[in-house]
Amino acid sequence: MFAGQDDNPGIDRTASRDIEKIAPVLAPETSPDGLGRDAGGNTASSIPFFGPFQNFERMLVRYNLESRGIQRVLPAHRHTTDHLGFIQVCMLWVSINLTANNITLGMLGPAVFFLSFRDSCLTAVFGMLIGCLPVAYIATFGPRSGNRTMVLTRYIMGWWPTKIIVVLTLVILLGYCLIDVVVAGQILSAVSTNNSLSIVVGIIITGILAWIVTTFGYSVFHQYQRYAWLPQLIANMILAGVAGPRFDLYSDPSSGLDSRTVAGNRLSFFSLCLAAAITYSETGADFFVYYPENSSKTKMFGVTVIGLAISFTTMFVIGIGLGSGIASSRAWSDAYDTSQGALIVEGLRPLGSFGSFCSVVIALGLISNLVAPTYASGIDWQVLGHHFEKVPRVVWNTFSVVIYTVCAIAGRANLAEIFTNFLALMGYWVSIWIAIVLEEHIIFRKFLGLGWNWDAWNDRHQLPLGIAALVAFVVGWVGAILCMAQVWYIGPISGLIGDYGGDLGNYVGFAWAAIVYAPLRWFELRKFGR
């Protein structure tokens, strides 16, 4: 079945082709008018304002593009893995992450946490690798369930508590988009003659381009990511080659600090890079719901880890190298004071106009990182309830782009603060959520044999009440708050590590939630039976 067409039975089927498929398939229309409906049979036409968007969705269906919202993709309506298959999964993650936002994150190791090149690389890479594991785990639920990640969360947290997770997920997705468009705007502004192109204009240009790709849905999204990684790889390898000789591989910015403070800084940067990876868990299943139900979970897990690890490592090391050169290069220091994007442009300065061209390629490459959260956010809004579900995905996509573009324009001068405060803070609750998902899956659904009824995705009476999950989530947050280390707050436990604390929030939050959830969930099942 084509991406974007719902699972309503009893309708005509016509042979068609999808971008994601090689052979013709039977593609059911979503409904007589070509639009998806919610559980009550309502469409966007129930709200007069959305009439033009309904017509636009008809056009998407007519051209075999996606109009589907959160509806489950039935096994009979999936594409095959004959063409590229799992290679596409790897390429998608590489394309999403081989982008400049991860370069700017790597800069923070030497520039903010005062770590040497070696310490920064080791903490960034190992933190990221741990963060990749939950993403790969959640990605395996896409093919097996046909449900998006936030719909899967209903099976874990219940109908009402899931809304809290959805709101937090939207904050993550739009926050990442904000970072992306700011970095892209900085680069485009820095590369223009005498900064004639303002950062604001660069932000708007990038946001519009991301909106175009995501509006047309799953097939265009995957097609774009299939090829977008190549120019990004070439441009970033040129950046590494040109700027590499000025990387400071041996100096130690932390040489004047005591060992406890250095350990705390290492732990905090490790946790920050872990958070950068683990937050993809909230969309891990979204991109693979059209893969066959019997897709190998081992392969899906493996190629996701490989794709994430390759791309994150490459960009982190380049960013750490650029950050390490700030102390020894006046030009790099001045550029960093202007913006992190300006430092990337300065690294390519020796190449002249060709370096400026490469800078533009790197800036526009951020669209690859933008389209994933923008696409996912358009779907996640619908999980908030039936009224939200009636609003077409296209509207929510547009709404998301407007929100993060406006916020990016307002916060464009504070990118480093957004990175260090926002990313780590968001990683806390994702770690807590992962602990709950793991225990629900392994202990209750698998070991105790409860299983999954994937067709009950929109029936609150067949889903858990979510009392155990909500209590465990709150308890996990208490642990995270006690052990977090941010610029604006250092928890009493994390404050025991050095002058600036050491961020333990992810690990303590995970552990506390895991300890509490299992007995509470057992009691919930005994008491309520679901």
Side-chain angles (χ1 to χ4, degrees), residues 382-448:
Q382 295 184 334
V383 186
L384 288 173
H386 291 312
H387 293 296
F388 289 84
E389 189 182 342
K390 294 175 185 177
V391 180
R393 180 186 62 82
V394 175
V395 177
W396 289 126
N397 266 96
T398 305
F399 183 59
S400 296
V401 172
V402 171
I403 288 178
Y404 68 67
T405 300
V406 171
C407 291
I409 292 171
R412 63 189 183 278
N414 303 294
L415 183 61
E417 289 81 0
I418 294 172
F419 253 129
T420 53
N421 296 332
F422 167 78
L423 274 184
L425 186 63
M426 289 298 100
Y428 299 146
W429 76 260
V430 177
S431 298
I432 297 167
W433 176 79
I434 285 293
I436 296 171
V437 173
L438 279 170
E439 291 199 341
E440 176 68 22
H441 176 208
I442 296 173
I443 298 175
F444 298 99
R445 303 287 179 164
K446 191 171 183 179
F447 182 74
L448 296 182

Side-chain angles (χ1 to χ4, degrees), residues 234-253:
I234 294 172
N236 283 297
M237 290 302 97
I238 292 173
L239 171 61
V242 173
R246 300 172 73 178
F247 291 177
D248 190 345
L249 306 182
Y250 305 106
S251 295
D252 187 2

Side-chain angles (χ1 to χ4, degrees), residues 66-86:
E66 184 174 30
S67 66
R68 179 191 296 275
I70 61 172
Q71 296 79 15
R72 184 190 178 216
V73 184
L74 296 178
H77 301 150
R78 318 274 184 95
H79 62 63
T80 67
T81 56
D82 295 339
H83 182 57
L84 293 181
F86 292 103

Side-chain angles (χ1 to χ4, degrees), residues 82-199:
D82 295 339
H83 182 57
L84 293 181
F86 292 103
I87 297 176
Q88 169 67 19
V89 177
C90 185
M91 288 194 298
L92 179 132
W93 290 117
V94 168
S95 183
I96 288 175
N97 277 310
L98 208 64
T99 49
N101 61 307
N102 291 320
I103 294 179
T104 57
L105 176 56
M107 293 177 188
L108 302 182
V112 174
F113 295 95
F114 308 110
L115 299 177
S116 66
F117 180 87
R118 181 192 62 187
D119 283 359
S120 296
C121 288
L122 289 173
T123 52
V125 171
F126 282 103
M128 169 273 299
L129 285 174
I130 293 176
C132 289
L133 299 179
V135 184
Y137 166 68
I138 296 297
T140 64
F141 281 95
R144 78 170 84 172
S145 72
N147 287 318
R148 314 285 182 165
T149 311
M150 287 299 98
V151 175
L152 167 68
T153 302
R154 289 177 173 176
Y155 290 84
I156 311 298
M157 303 288 295
W159 181 271
W160 297 107
T162 290
K163 298 179 190 297
I164 299 173
I165 303 299
V166 172
V167 170
L168 291 172
T169 297
L170 288 168
V171 172
I172 283 183
L173 298 178
L174 300 184
Y176 268 112
C177 291
L178 183 157
I179 291 169
D180 287 341
V181 293
V182 169
V183 174
Q186 289 176 349
I187 296 174
L188 292 174
S189 176
V191 80
S192 63
T193 305
N194 298 321
N195 294 326
S196 56
L197 179 71
S198 70
I199 294 177

